[in-house]
Amino acid sequence: MASSTLISDTQAWKELKDHAEDIKKSHLRDLLSNEERSQSLTVEFDGILLDYSRQQATLETREKLFKLAEVASLKEKINQMYNGEHINSTENRAVLHVALRASRDAVIQSDGKNVVPDVWNVLDKIKEFSERVRSGSWVGATGKELKDVVAIGIGGSFLGPLFVHTALQTDPEAIESARGRQLRFLANVDPIDVAKTITGLNPETTLVVVVSKTFTTAETMLNARTLREWIIASLGPSAVAKHMVAVSTNLALVEKFGIDPNNAFAFWDWVGGRYSVCSAVGVFPLSLQYGFSVVEKFLKGASSIDQHMYSEPFERNIPVLLGLLSVWNVSFLGYPARAILPYTQALEKFAPHIQQVSMESNGKGVSIDGTPLPFEAGEIDFGEPGTNGQHSFYQLIHQGRVIPCDFIGVVKSQQPVYLKGEVVSNHDELMSNFFAQPDALAYGKTPEQLQKENVPPHLVSHKTFSGNRPSVSLLLPSLNAYNVGQLLAIYEHRIAVEGFIWGINSFDQWGVELGKSLATQVRKQLNASRTKGEPIQGFNFSTTAMITRYLQASSDIPADPPTSLPQI
């Protein structure tokens, strides 16, 4: 994978730089008037429609981006990922989240071994265990059924499963499967998150799933110990084995914690945390809530995009097109941010998940062989469901900075509402905005138009919209478990494409480590100062002053406090 040539040194990159200057002279008003162009910049797969005609791009732009992909060996890099090669070179690992949702008869090799049977062994175990819990054959320490699940994890062990759970909560099939059950997530080490998570729950009916590959993640394990105390305080120490299970590979620490290793569900080092939704990390808690059959449809949806990504020519390949357009916007047009705007409340946790997948993957400053990049990699991602976002940050998008937007719409609402006498249904009202906003961003409004509307002269400049603000529209047929899996895989692969083009390693996250190691020093200092009265040392003046202030203001806390759980 390593290469001494930066993509920015290639002729294809330089040609795109020159081409960008020409594109900047055009306006989307003019580009959209060419119907042949607009028709060419749409693609459909399995009921999903991608319209990228509102990008500041022409057919020539697309061809130049395909040439860049060829120079960057994009197809070879995609093949290397699917073939289980160690493309995560800094950690010497394969990147095989596609194997997590492969069909049972698929063959995907890693280090000379087909990993698909291992994946399905875990899936079969999850199905068997979740059905025992859901049927009531596995009960808690007092004989009561376990109707409530708390999944403890952070980062990729939390954001992805939460997104899927939130999307399925309002799907009719998933609702029926989850009736009488609830799933909650505990991620933040802040005790307030603990309090909010366990409020209203009864330990007798609660199953806790601890998600940590190594079983050493500081925040996750402190939260796990806290909920272990919550269970013990109510039901006694022996109840832990009936009320706590694990998703981990460290069976020794799982057993030491008090969880039966037989109730631990494995995943592998070729699964990156932010790409782990389709592993036991997500599949296990989601199966407990919705049943394995619903979650299997989610996996099949993701798998359909995996196959599309691998086999479809680039001109009809949705993740590849989206990835190339992101590179175009970031590296050539100079737009560093992207707004993710789903026009369905069910996807309210989608943008937070993609924030991690994208920015943890591609927020890199060096190439895959360690050469400093002379260009910025990665995008700043944020988002909010429409129409809420329209009443929040769209002002900046329309009249402030240019921020490319992803508009995500759904043809059929999960929960349609019809009111007699209304002009349109609630969903039609929502979708009216979905269709209108991309055009408003593209066309804008000129001073001449405003003058014809008799807008007072002193307000013309305030009401002028420059337009020429790019977006893509992704229209899904519905939002069932299958479609949710498709959407996840589209974005996962899009992000990988960007990294492959930029020539970076999208699958490590060393930037996460520094803050963790510094926090360890502070943790030791807080303990030494509270329990032994040791002076603060080894920090700069500012940090020393803040820690001093913190310790002084919380000096009423005893050095060795008794166990105390939230009081909400």
Side-chain angles (χ1 to χ4, degrees), residues 126 149 151 161 183 185 209 211 247 279-290 295:
I126 288 172
V149 172
L183 170 61
F185 292 88
V209 181
V211 183
V247 175
S279 73
V281 168
V283 171
F284 184 38
L286 292 166
S287 294
L288 288 166
Q289 177 69 5
Y290 297 108
V295 180

Side-chain angles (χ1 to χ4, degrees), residues 72 76 80 92 108 137 186 285 311 323 326 360 369 371-372 390 511:
E76 290 85 346
Q80 287 171 338
N92 194 27
I108 298 177
S137 65
L186 174 58
S311 60
S326 284
E360 194 168 273
D369 66 344
T371 305
Q390 294 175 198

Side-chain angles (χ1 to χ4, degrees), residues 81-85 94 96 107-115:
M81 179 171 75
Y82 278 71
N83 292 339
E85 295 185 33
L96 277 178
V107 177
I108 298 177
Q109 300 282 348
S110 178
D111 297 325
K113 177 186 179 184
N114 180 16
V115 300

Side-chain angles (χ1 to χ4, degrees), residues 25 28 56 78 89 97 108 130 179 237 248 251 269 278 280 290 324 337 375 390 393 396 421 453 460 465 518 538:
K25 297 171 187 173
L28 277 169
Q56 290 172 292
I78 292 170
S89 54
H97 43 279
I108 298 177
S130 61
R179 201 168 296 282
S248 180
L251 295 183
D269 67 3
C278 297
Y290 297 108
L324 290 173
F375 57 86
Q390 294 175 198
F393 51 78
L396 183 144
E453 295 174 4
V460 168
F465 293 78
L518 293 177

Side-chain angles (χ1 to χ4, degrees), residues 340-351 383-391 393-394 430:
I340 299 171
L341 310 170
Y343 275 67
T344 167
Q345 193 63 28
L347 292 178
E348 66 175 308
K349 296 300 182 182
F350 183 59
E384 183 75 16
T387 57
N388 291 5
Q390 294 175 198
H391 296 269
F393 51 78
Y394 277 39
L430 175 73

